[in-house]
Amino acid sequence: MIIPMPDDETYSTGGQVDAIAVALIDGAFDKKLDVRVVVCQSLFKLGKERPRMVLGSCHSYLHKHPKLPQGHRVEILNVAERICRESLEQISRPLAIDLVQLASAEMTQSKTVLPDWQTAASGVLVALGCSFCNEVMEEMLRKFQPGVLPHFFVVQTLGNLAAANAYGVLPFLKAVLGTLLPMLGLAKQDNMRWVFSSALAKFSEAILEYVANIDMAPDPTVTSTVYASEIGSAYDVLFTVWLQSKEPKLRMAVVEALGYMSHLMPREKLEEQLPKLLSCILKLYHKHPDNPLPITQCLAMVLDTATTDQCTGLEVQLDGLLNLLFTQACLVSENGSSAMLKNQNEVLRCFQMLERGFSDKVLTGLLTRLESSSEKVRIAALRIIRHLINASGTHFDAKKSLVLSGLRLMLSETNNKVKKAFAQVIVALAHHEYLQEEGGGQMIEFLIKQCALPAETLQVKKQPSDAEHVSSDSLRAMCENILQLLTTTVSDMEAVLWPRLLEYTISVDYAAAVSVVCKNAAFLSAKKREENAEDYEINYNRFVDIPKPHALCARLLVLAAHPRCDRDRGCHVLRLMKAMGPNINKNTVALWDTVIPKLLQFLEAADEADGGDEGQEWSQKSWEDLLLKLLSKTLDEADSEDWSCDLGAALAKQIPLYNEQQADKNFLYKLLGVVLRRASTKQFIDSHLELMFSTTRHSSKLEREGCAVAFGYCASTHLEAVIDKLEQLSRSDSHKKSAGIFSRIKERMEADVADVDRSKGTLLLCYSYVALYAQPEQLLSSLDAHILRALLPHCATAKDAATRSCLTQAIELIGRAVHPQHLKLAYEFTARSTLLQYMLSFSKAESVKTLCSDVKELELRACTTLVRLDPVMTVEVVSDLMDTFMMAVYTLAADCVRNREEEDEEREKEAKGDLLVRTLNGLAELLKQLLLKDLSSQNLDNIFKHLEPWLSSTVELERHRAMTNACQLIDCYYDRKEFGIGNATVFAHLGDHVGLLVPRVADPSVSIRQLAVTCIQRLLQIQLLYNGHSRDEEDQVVGGISQLRERVAQDDPNALYTVVNDIAKVLSLKLPADQLDPFLRRLFKGLLDPQDHSSSSACVVLNGVMRNRGAELRTQVESLVSDLHCKLSEIVCTQTRTGTLRCVRTLANHHLVDVINCLLKYPLPYDQTVRDCWQVFGADAGTAQNVLERLVEMLFRAVPYVEKPDPRERDKTKTIRIANQPTLAALSALTEVFKAEACHETVMYNYARLFAVVLASVGAMVDVKPPHEHKDKKDQKWDILGLNAPSKVEPSVVAVDALKGFLNCTRAAAVYEASTNEGWLKFSSRTDLPDAVSVLAR
């Protein structure tokens, strides 16, 4: 409830806020904890704004409610304390006095210790004492009388106040100590001894703080000696009596107090007590292994005093101290415990104190411990050494040489944890100028060595469970940061790092660290070049280990080739090249200063494109071309044959550097090829060509390619010399192979042969690149005589995949070389047909299920290149190409790639997918090129004929690939075909193409459906262009198909049906009349599609188009009915068959007579397909009416039979009746129509006519013979058993069946049942017929 306002209105504001404050105070002890927290926080915020009012209200509330629950009083006091600390300057002295008295009363009201309540009250006193110290001290001293043990919280409040306000308490401290010392003997309980010890510690700390900041103290004459006697007396009690207590908490409080008191004791007393004190402290470590922090803090303070005062007793305890402290230094913090971390810091302080007077012994002991086999010992020693270097100041400088020599032992360390600690020591050494001494360079080398650590594999990363495990990756990253820190922020390190960092750019051991080395070397070099420093230009005679200009230039050019490798080394390498320009070649400085910034911009733009949404891919070839162009211009600017040769020699010398980096070695060969292209010394060219070939690892694709490209570059200016060298190498390899056959060691022989085969592949590539880069006028003279002569013999003998790969790549390159655009003249490549046959034979010999290498992709590329050449290929060759490669590519499984050499799973998966995609793209390019060679509708149709079986494959993957290629071909035709605007022509095969694609609109695969819709839309757009429209003209109907592409992605059958119907409407509108028939014929084939949904799709479109355009098909009715009859007998899907029957009915709605006449011509008895056609007519009322009228009319007009002489009788006057075929066909048709349940109403409407004609036909067919069947004489001759005889048709039975069907259809069940089986037989007898009709009539 709301309590009335206090009577004392001194602190009230007179507003509503007063009532709010009281209400908050009243609710501060709500039953719900969360409500309590919110109320107290609100009261505190109000108190910060109105401290006098809120504090006054709290005072009044507590004063008027002495029986308030203790918890409520605690909450109010806690809020009051917080307000006092935040708004102390706004509290008036009268209010402060009231609060002091209140808090004092609250704190001492109960003699029993009640921690929550009394701590809250004590907190208010301490908070007020920060500004009203005299008032608080006076109140406390009244309750701190001599001879009487004070309240526990009075002593604690005095100690806390001393810690909070040393300047205010110190004037009272002498009197407090005088009163307190006699009480020490009275304190018998551990809790009182604890509070006295804690207070003495805080009193001592306050004295030390006061003296340490004496310039700010109110009384500058005060010194620590003023309190020496009191502290000494207190020390005796604490050390001799209380420290022996068995209570751990009390001992820790005593130890803490002794630490502070040691600073205030007289020197003589400390000297006397030091051995005992140290001995006692060291023993405490064994008693309190779980809580060493207070002990170490005490020890640090004692050692600080002892070393400052140079106490002689310390040396005796030194060994024990060092051992025990080092043991503490080795303790590992568990779970990042803050107490343990603080203890470690205090241990380091202890070592720092001991080092003041015993530096040699401390340092020697630490360096000795570096030899320990325990990683914890070594890490602890390094941590202490680092602290001493950082904290000991200049007096430790004399030990620099000793420190460096002792630390050399760590250079060979293998443990990552220890190496991490050592790296941190190196940072300290660098900041204190240790590394300028002899041996400092070795420390830098250690850091670079860690920067070269190999990346960890996934298995290694998952292995460690140690919380303090240091991975190689994290250690490498740390050392990289350290090296950069030393380079950029520690100016004294320049003399150590420059130019020695350059040594590590060409070191094999530190190749993995070259990126960070270049980064830091570039910073230093650029800084010195900008400052025009004296030591910028390198004296290579002085720094003999620094790589010479040619060697550095060669190395940096190679490293720049793959800028994204090794933590994006490209930018760092380029910056180093630019900064080192004057040191490499002064003639190229202007060029490099212009070009290299552009290269850096290129890299930055590529990185931004990768990180953005532009979708640009990094082109390694484009980047390499830029660097090769830079080298070429550099050689031009240098304009020195000697310099070029020296650079080439440097590149050749560095080849062993890249034995494990095949991509870099590849580019090195290309660089060397550019140098050889400019060189003019024959001996230099010859020797380096041979060196490249001999150092190439022929089993490596990258190295083979790099070597071959280099030969090609050289051939652009030295074709004759290069061909001579290739022929020489070829003869040499042949000799090696023949010699190996006679080797006595079989394994060696096989190895030699395999190596020769691989080198043969490299030679083939070299020949092909020579052709590609040779001057056109020189190439044609050497093509047949040298290049093809070397190439063709291997086509017939190549068996292994590696040789075929090289051979195929060589053929592709030669095809590019002889292309008219490359030669700049017309040229017919006569060897093309031969090479194509070899490519086809290679492909046919390979597996159609797996990709073991990139040979398939290379074959596709080679054939694509050869297709571009003249002369035009024959139709047979083109068909063979398409059939072979479609079979080879479409049948590949999704996981078809097999690569046993790849270990990394993620990389293997990526490589597999990339190879498969490149192979599929290769087939797409081949098909496009075949189309572009003859961009006509006839050629497009030829290609589609080869795609047709794959588009309807039962394997989804095959259909998708074929559909993708079809879409690409149609797009290519649309984009590249030239159409005349306003000049209408015929798109001859539109109907075929669209009909082929329609079943795919309802394919089970969503992506295939979308591709099919896209293709149909594109074909109709092409039709518009054929009609003379421009590409800019938009057709709303054709354009609307784009919406169908989105809708076809749904898997709902009803939604798909709607889309297919819409497709049918579009096609009905847009198909030209001349394409309607071929479109329908193609759709008929689609009815047999193995996918049920697809065949149904063809059926739906067929129905739709016939419904809308059937009137145009009069001349094709007979053939259409015949084709539909054939397809209906083959269709498997029930739904498709039902829909196709409706197509026949739809056609009949347009051309009834023609369709009926076609069906009536089929032999009797009708097969199931014809019967189903008649029945489907009866299922539709309108169609049934028309069909029945036509059949009745035929029966009325037709003669039911003809009379002919009986061939069995000699009397020619005797005749027999032979039924007419049309009459029997019409009666059979009526029978089937009557079977349709839906035609009941129609039959009833025509009941009289139908009954009359059927009954008349029954009578007319009595004793009538079936018509004769005309058989071939050949059939009669061999059909001895009559197996091929047609089924007999009895005219009377046909007529009676029609009558039965009529009665069933009219639902005259009683009439039907009235005639038994014998009764129905009477209808076939002339004598019994009247009786049968009478029974029927009754």
Side-chain angles (χ1 to χ4, degrees), residues 740 745-755:
I745 305 175
K746 183 178 180 181
E747 293 81 1
R748 179 61 182 171
M749 178 189 71
E750 292 175 351
D752 288 344
V753 172
D755 188 61

Side-chain angles (χ1 to χ4, degrees), residues 574-590:
L574 290 174
R575 291 190 181 101
L576 180 58
M577 285 178 65
K578 180 178 181 297
M580 286 293 294
N583 277 310
I584 293 175
N585 190 317
K586 296 186 183 300
N587 294 335
T588 64
V589 172

Side-chain angles (χ1 to χ4, degrees), residues 839-1077:
M839 292 295 98
L840 290 172
S841 63
F842 288 172
S843 181
K844 291 174 183 178
E846 295 166 3
S847 169
V848 295
K849 294 297 182 183
T850 59
L851 282 177
C852 299
S853 65
D854 61 349
V855 175
K856 187 75 64 185
E857 178 209 356
L858 295 174
E859 289 168 355
L860 287 163
R861 286 171 50 188
C863 290
T864 303
T865 302
L866 293 174
V867 165
R868 292 191 180 102
L869 304 177
D870 293 330
V872 177
M873 295 184 299
T874 63
V875 176
E876 293 76 12
V877 173
V878 172
S879 297
D880 199 8
L881 267 176
M882 287 191 286
D883 289 340
T884 301
F885 284 110
M886 284 180 183
M887 174 62 73
V889 175
Y890 287 159
T891 54
L892 292 172
D895 56 346
C896 61
V897 184
R898 298 288 181 268
N899 187 355
R900 296 177 183 174
E901 297 178 358
E902 191 65 64
E903 294 180 358
D904 188 282
E905 294 181 4
E906 293 295 330
R907 193 174 300 172
E908 179 184 5
K909 186 176 180 181
E910 183 178 348
K912 287 179 179 181
D914 185 53
L915 178 57
L916 180 59
V917 168
R918 285 189 279 116
T919 303
L920 294 172
N921 290 340
L923 176 60
E925 286 302 317
L926 175 61
L927 295 177
K928 284 182 185 177
Q929 194 55 47
L930 288 171
L931 176 63
L932 292 172
K933 198 66 179 174
D934 177 17
L935 204 58
S936 65
S937 62
Q938 180 61 49
N939 189 29
L940 180 64
D941 184 58
N942 290 337
I943 298 175
F944 265 70
K945 285 178 180 177
H946 291 274
L947 284 173
E948 180 180 349
W950 301 103
L951 288 172
S952 57
S953 169
T954 56
V955 181
E956 180 181 322
L957 195 61
E958 295 175 0
R959 296 199 307 276
H960 186 274
R961 290 169 179 170
M963 194 69 242
T964 302
N965 287 148
C967 193
Q968 292 167 339
L969 289 168
I970 294 171
D971 283 341
C972 178
Y973 192 84
Y974 176 82
D975 295 334
R976 304 292 289 274
K977 178 74 174 177
E978 295 183 0
F979 303 92
I981 300 176
N983 182 22
T985 54
V986 177
F987 187 13
H989 301 282
L990 173 65
D992 273 336
H993 300 335
V994 175
L996 180 63
L997 296 170
V998 163
R1000 303 276 68 81
V1001 174
D1003 194 274
S1005 168
V1006 173
S1007 57
I1008 294 177
R1009 296 201 295 263
Q1010 292 178 323
L1011 286 170
V1013 172
T1014 301
C1015 288
I1016 291 173
Q1017 182 183 34
R1018 185 64 81 194
L1019 285 169
L1020 293 178
Q1021 290 172 341
I1022 293 173
Q1023 171 62 26
L1024 293 174
L1025 296 178
Y1026 267 103
N1027 288 342
H1029 295 272
S1030 70
R1031 294 179 185 271
D1032 298 333
E1033 290 185 50
E1034 291 187 6
D1035 187 287
Q1036 292 184 351
V1037 175
V1038 176
I1041 298 179
S1042 299
Q1043 298 178 359
L1044 300 182
R1045 188 179 186 279
E1046 299 174 3
R1047 289 165 50 196
V1048 84
Q1050 304 176 33
D1051 286 326
D1052 179 23
N1054 294 328
L1056 279 179
Y1057 177 79
T1058 305
V1059 172
V1060 174
N1061 259 324
D1062 291 343
I1063 290 285
K1065 293 176 184 176
V1066 172
L1067 295 177
S1068 299
L1069 290 172
K1070 291 301 177 182
L1071 273 178
D1074 62 321
Q1075 294 300 309
L1076 191 57
D1077 184 64

Side-chain angles (χ1 to χ4, degrees), residues 564-617:
R564 296 184 170 186
C565 295
D566 190 17
R567 302 179 288 286
D568 295 332
R569 73 187 181 199
C571 293
H572 309 316
V573 171
L574 290 174
R575 291 190 181 101
L576 180 58
M577 285 178 65
K578 180 178 181 297
M580 286 293 294
N583 277 310
I584 293 175
N585 190 317
K586 296 186 183 300
N587 294 335
T588 64
V589 172
L591 171 68
W592 285 15
D593 285 351
T594 303
V595 175
I596 291 179
K598 294 180 180 178
L599 294 177
L600 289 169
Q601 290 177 1
F602 181 90
L603 289 180
E604 292 171 0
D607 291 339
E608 291 175 2
D610 286 348
D613 298 329
E614 299 180 26
Q616 298 181 6
E617 292 184 0

Side-chain angles (χ1 to χ4, degrees), residues 194 201 243 248-260 262 277 280-282 284-285 287-303 324-325 328 338-344 346-347 349-350:
W194 180 88
L243 190 58
K249 188 176 180 182
L250 174 58
R251 283 204 298 266
M252 292 300 99
V254 171
V255 165
E256 182 183 5
L258 292 177
Y260 286 109
S262 64
L277 179 58
C280 187
I281 291 174
L282 297 182
L284 288 175
Y285 277 111
K287 295 180 180 180
H288 301 277
D290 298 331
N291 186 25
L293 177 58
I295 306 170
T296 309
Q297 289 175 330
C298 172
L299 181 59
M301 287 185 280
V302 171
L303 292 177
L324 190 141
L325 285 171
Q328 288 294 311
S338 59
M340 189 62 72
L341 292 174
K342 290 178 181 178
N343 185 64
Q344 294 288 327
E346 292 299 325
V347 169
R349 277 188 61 208
C350 291

Side-chain angles (χ1 to χ4, degrees), residues 228-447:
S229 61
E230 288 84 354
I231 294 298
S233 301
Y235 172 86
D236 291 336
V237 175
L238 267 64
F239 181 72
T240 57
V241 182
W242 291 5
L243 190 58
Q244 312 308 318
S245 173
K246 295 180 180 180
E247 173 57 41
K249 188 176 180 182
L250 174 58
R251 283 204 298 266
M252 292 300 99
V254 171
V255 165
E256 182 183 5
L258 292 177
Y260 286 109
M261 293 164 69
S262 64
H263 288 285
L264 302 175
M265 291 170 58
R267 185 182 182 283
E268 298 78 10
K269 188 175 184 68
L270 178 63
E271 185 80 43
E272 175 189 347
Q273 294 292 324
L274 187 61
K276 299 178 183 178
L277 179 58
L278 290 175
S279 178
C280 187
I281 291 174
L282 297 182
K283 290 178 182 178
L284 288 175
Y285 277 111
H286 301 291
K287 295 180 180 180
H288 301 277
D290 298 331
N291 186 25
L293 177 58
I295 306 170
T296 309
Q297 289 175 330
C298 172
L299 181 59
M301 287 185 280
V302 171
L303 292 177
D304 186 15
T305 306
T307 53
T308 303
D309 295 344
Q310 298 181 352
C311 295
T312 57
L314 185 58
E315 188 171 3
V316 179
Q317 304 281 343
L318 186 60
D319 291 337
L321 275 170
L322 289 174
N323 290 332
L324 190 141
L325 285 171
F326 196 83
T327 301
Q328 288 294 311
C330 293
L331 294 178
V332 179
S333 171
E334 296 180 1
N335 302 322
S337 168
S338 59
M340 189 62 72
L341 292 174
K342 290 178 181 178
N343 185 64
Q344 294 288 327
N345 293 332
E346 292 299 325
V347 169
L348 294 176
R349 277 188 61 208
C350 291
F351 274 100
Q352 181 184 347
M353 300 301 112
L354 292 172
E355 187 274 334
R356 291 178 185 174
F358 310 99
S359 59
D360 289 340
K361 196 163 187 178
V362 171
L363 185 56
T364 303
L366 291 173
L367 294 176
T368 302
R369 284 184 166 88
L370 293 178
E371 301 175 7
S372 171
S373 60
S374 170
E375 70 173 33
K376 291 183 179 180
V377 172
R378 301 199 300 280
I379 291 172
L382 289 170
R383 190 185 300 122
I384 296 167
I385 291 173
R386 184 187 65 181
H387 179 78
L388 294 179
I389 293 171
N390 286 327
S392 296
T394 56
H395 71 278
F396 203 61
D397 291 348
K399 313 295 180 184
K400 287 182 178 180
S401 58
L402 177 61
V403 171
L404 287 174
S405 62
L407 290 174
R408 284 197 188 100
L409 180 66
M410 305 309 300
L411 297 174
S412 58
E413 179 61 55
T414 58
N415 185 293
N416 280 358
K417 291 183 185 179
V418 182
K419 287 196 285 188
K420 177 181 179 180
F422 183 45
Q424 293 169 339
V425 172
I426 294 175
V427 175
L429 294 172
H431 279 87
H432 294 85
E433 302 180 5
Y434 280 69
L435 298 185
Q436 284 82 345
E437 303 292 325
E438 183 180 356
Q442 294 176 319
M443 306 298 163
I444 298 299
E445 185 176 1
F446 173 84
L447 291 176

Side-chain angles (χ1 to χ4, degrees), residues 1267-1281:
H1268 295 293
E1269 292 288 338
H1270 299 288
K1271 296 178 67 176
D1272 292 340
K1273 291 182 179 180
K1274 184 178 179 182
D1275 293 338
Q1276 290 177 356
K1277 179 179 179 181
W1278 294 104
D1279 191 19
I1280 299 173
L1281 300 177

